[in-house]
Amino acid sequence: MKNTFKYIIRLVVLFMAFSCSNSSDDSPTFGPTELPDAIQASFDFTISPSDPKVLLLNNTTEYYLPYTGVWDYGNGSSAIADGAGVKEVTYDTPGRYTISLTVSSDGITNTISKDIIVDEIGICLNAVCGSVNTASLKGAATTFSVGTITRSPYVAAGGKHIEILKNEFNNLTSEYEMKMNIMYPSEGNYDFSAGDAIVGFAQANDMNVHGHALIWHNATPSWVENFSGTDAEFEAMVEDYITTTLNHYKGKVRSWDVVNEAFEDGTGHPLRNSVFRQKMGDDYIKKCFQFARNADPDVILFYNDYNMASSPTKRQAMFNLVDELGDLIDGVGAQMHISYNGPSAANIQAVADGTVSRNLKLHFAELDIRANPEEDTSLTSLSSDRANAQKDKFKEVVQIYNAIPLDNKFALTVWGVRDNESWLLDFWGVPEWPLMFDEDYNKKPAYAGFLEGLE
Ligand code: G3I
């Protein structure tokens, strides 16, 4: 009987595949002979906001056929039939627990398991225990701001992302919507709507905003790349753009990256031959800083770049530029896109020393720490060994930053909240876990490393 039923289902599926394959609705479409993948169990969990000993288990398994699910909470109470809604499970006794969900459909059974640790305080996700779970980054860092990035759709969506921003961070950078290609999409037509949404959220939540970035070759609108006017008209357009933007955000944005990533990575690190250099000359950076200073003498002005720690020659090229800018610049933004195994502490320290010796503010502006720089495509999860190595690197970076003199402190910004949102996943196209929160917004050992760096 069961086989006849299975056979009828398959026939129905095949009929759907052939009759609906180019249908417009979002029903599953299959290639001619493809059959749907077997059921795969999946669940996520978070700690109850009201009780650190209560775990909220959420079955996120998706399948096109009806299925049954059975939980094993690992605390001796097994075989709990799954049903709608989040399961609340209390773990009173310290220890390590393996939680499993087994799902069955169409004769196929699949199980997924995740471990948790429970200490005398409560549940530790990702082996992050004790006081770390109740800590907040901004609360722990009392001498500098702790920042991260966001996007206007994230702000609009609210939810856990916003909760983390409010609990953990007091400095915000727009990941991409306060760049020229978004703010100045066509000549004479400014669009600050996305930036305004982010700035409005920050103001409503007592957070500072770091403007990023006024001039960047990688975020230049095409009408500027193909500017048809004279060089003088181009320079006037850039001055108008910087003046208009700074006036629009005057008193709302505390600091700006005036120019981002102006140097080539090759020998001698010449200036990139961007349209700004072609039209305004080699001193275009100085002109842009002057335009910014004229527009708003109170806003803190940074030059921002990457490989400041890993490339001593590029670092020197940057400091030479900074010396030329004199009192037009207030701070250095070192992006800090690094890995668990480099650059060395000595090289990171050299960025701090060079900035402090010039009486400038230091911004570790875009910190993320690759856990898989070897680009091992077979990795499916972050091992505890690698998670702890990453934790040590976060600790090292924060220790170096926290040790600089107070007058040189500004902010330490991480380039993202959750691992799965990081730009690195698209950029390198390999498995990666570079941030302090996992995809379920649970704190990782990296988070504990940040806190330990402040001790
Ligand atoms: O959100 C839109 C989506 O609606 C649309 O469908 C899609 C296709 O056009 O674009 C999406 O926007 C993209 C956005 O990332 C979000 O994914 C933008 O096109 C894309 O340009 C933007 O890339 C950003 C990139 O800078 C360029 O601005 C990355 O998020 C951001 O992480 C990256 O950040 C840079 C720093 O500014 C400078 N240092 C390096 C760092 C990493 O490249």
Side-chain angles (χ1 to χ4, degrees), residues 149 151 153-154 173-177 179 181-182 212-213 216 218-219 257 260-261 304-306 335 337 366 368 415 421-424 426-427:
I149 53 175
R151 305 173 178 182
Y154 291 175
T173 301
S174 165
E175 183 170 13
Y176 71 97
E177 295 162 303
K179 295 168 182 172
N181 59 335
I182 305 292
H212 171 81
W216 184 31
N218 256 352
D257 291 331
N260 185 46
E261 302 180 12
N304 194 58
D305 214 327
Y306 62 89
Q335 293 180 12
H337 296 292
E366 304 180 17
D368 46 30
W415 206 243
E421 294 162 346
S422 171
W423 70 289
L424 289 167
D426 286 346
F427 191 80

Side-chain angles (χ1 to χ4, degrees), residues 435-449:
L435 297 165
M436 292 190 286
F437 294 85
D438 68 16
E439 63 185 318
D440 302 322
Y441 291 102
N442 298 316
K443 297 172 180 179
K444 294 164 56 186
Y447 183 103

Side-chain angles (χ1 to χ4, degrees), residues 161-178:
H161 177 84
I162 291 301
E163 194 187 309
I164 297 276
L165 292 189
K166 290 178 184 176
N167 293 345
E168 303 286 349
F169 300 100
N170 49 18
N171 214 81
L172 266 190
T173 301
S174 165
E175 183 170 13
Y176 71 97
E177 295 162 303
M178 290 175 79

